[in-house]
Amino acid sequence: MSRRSGILEFAVLGLLREAPMHGYELRKRLNTSLGVFRAFSYGTLYPCLKTLVANGWLIEEPGSAPEDALAASLAGRRAKIVYRLTAEGKEHFEELLSHTGPDTWEDEHFAARFAFFGQTEREVRMRVLEGRRSRLEERLEKMRASLARTRERLDDYTLELQRHGMESVEREVRWLNELIESERAGRDQRRSSAPGEAAQQDTTSGETGDLPRHRGEVAPEGSSSGHPTAPDPSDDTTK
């Protein structure tokens, strides 16, 4: 499995954990809610869904709304397929959520993981955030060293582009620092709470700290919002 297809499978499972959807709904959510997928080929979504069904992580169900069935009949098409997460699929997604290895720190994977932080345990969030920060600090050090070596050979525009890239990484490091401090503050607050109150807070695995109010100003590198494409009903029908 390629890294790109693995990220797509993770995102699809995460979205379907929220509610069953048909293909077009998934396409729209991937494109708007998870902007990292704005440029992916929609032709890869349906093979991904078929793979997840074959693995037993999803099941296909016909659209249940009577008006959908009537409209499909009048148009000479079959009803749209709805994809539902199975118990095995939920268990697999929760296992993926617990991963904190180097892949979760990379640009595209981190953006997808961050989108599901609300369903992720606090300690896992902390490890992913700290790993991402470490990765960016390494990148920033290399960029500074490269700029110092080549500064005299660069024209003004190339030099400005290099500086712009460094500033983008520096902004994300500052953003990550704020998130990490917020997570730590929430954890410390929970530890200082009364035992009964702490136990009540622990019932939600995705408990979050108070995130910075201006967190929307800087998005994870590699992510952005997108716009849904025009519906293509033929993609969502059974063959």
Side-chain angles (χ1 to χ4, degrees):
M1 180 191 304
S2 69
R3 175 179 297 179
R4 182 70 169 173
S5 62
I7 298 171
L8 179 58
E9 289 186 6
F10 171 82
V12 168
L13 291 172
L15 290 175
L16 290 177
R17 188 186 185 189
E18 299 173 3
M21 302 180 199
H22 57 71
Y24 177 66
E25 289 176 307
L26 276 170
R27 285 167 52 171
K28 184 166 61 175
R29 290 291 304 278
L30 286 167
N31 190 260
T32 56
S33 301
L34 304 179
V36 65
F37 292 103
R38 70 192 185 283
F40 90 111
S41 170
Y42 288 127
T44 65
L45 174 59
Y46 294 94
C48 171
L49 290 169
K50 295 298 182 183
T51 297
L52 295 176
V53 170
N55 288 339
W57 297 331
L58 302 181
I59 57 174
E60 297 177 331
E61 300 175 340
S64 58
E67 60 271 23
D68 289 348
L70 177 60
S73 176
L74 292 174
R77 299 192 306 270
R78 297 180 182 179
K80 291 181 178 180
I81 295 174
V82 172
Y83 296 91
R84 182 185 299 274
L85 195 66
T86 64
E88 293 80 4
K90 181 179 179 181
E91 182 179 348
H92 179 62
F93 179 68
E94 290 173 349
E95 179 183 349
L96 294 176
L97 277 180
S98 70
H99 290 178
T100 59
D103 281 354
T104 65
W105 312 338
E106 302 298 339
D107 295 346
E108 290 183 345
H109 206 154
F110 173 75
R113 283 301 302 268
F114 191 85
F116 294 100
F117 263 21
Q119 304 179 42
T120 306
E121 293 183 359
R122 182 188 299 274
E123 295 304 319
V124 174
R125 292 198 302 264
M126 284 288 291
R127 289 195 292 271
V128 173
L129 289 171
E130 289 172 345
R132 174 65 175 175
R133 180 176 63 181
S134 176
R135 179 58 50 86
L136 289 183
E137 287 173 342
E138 292 174 2
R139 184 183 302 176
L140 190 58
E141 183 177 350
K142 292 178 180 178
M143 293 173 73
R144 287 169 175 162
S146 175
L147 184 60
R149 289 193 306 268
T150 61
R151 180 187 300 271
E152 299 302 324
R153 300 194 299 270
L154 299 178
D155 62 64
D156 290 343
Y157 295 102
T158 305
L159 182 61
E160 191 62 30
L161 184 61
Q162 295 275 348
R163 288 173 175 165
H164 175 69
M166 287 177 53
E167 289 172 359
S168 297
V169 178
E170 289 169 344
R171 283 197 301 271
E172 185 171 346
V173 170
R174 290 194 297 270
W175 175 73
L176 289 167
N177 285 335
E178 292 176 351
L179 290 173
I180 290 169
E181 288 305 312
S182 294
E183 293 285 353
R184 285 176 177 165
R187 180 179 60 188
D188 294 342
Q189 182 179 13
R190 181 184 61 184
R191 288 177 174 174
S192 63
S193 301
E197 183 180 350
Q200 184 177 4
Q201 289 176 344
D202 282 342
T203 59
T204 303
S205 63
E207 178 191 359
T208 60
D210 292 330
L211 298 180
R213 293 184 179 180
H214 58 285
R215 63 189 183 278
E217 294 179 2
V218 182
E221 190 172 285
S223 67
S224 64
S225 60
H227 302 280
T229 58
D232 184 3
S234 63
D235 285 342
D236 297 318
T237 58
T238 56
K239 304 295 182 185

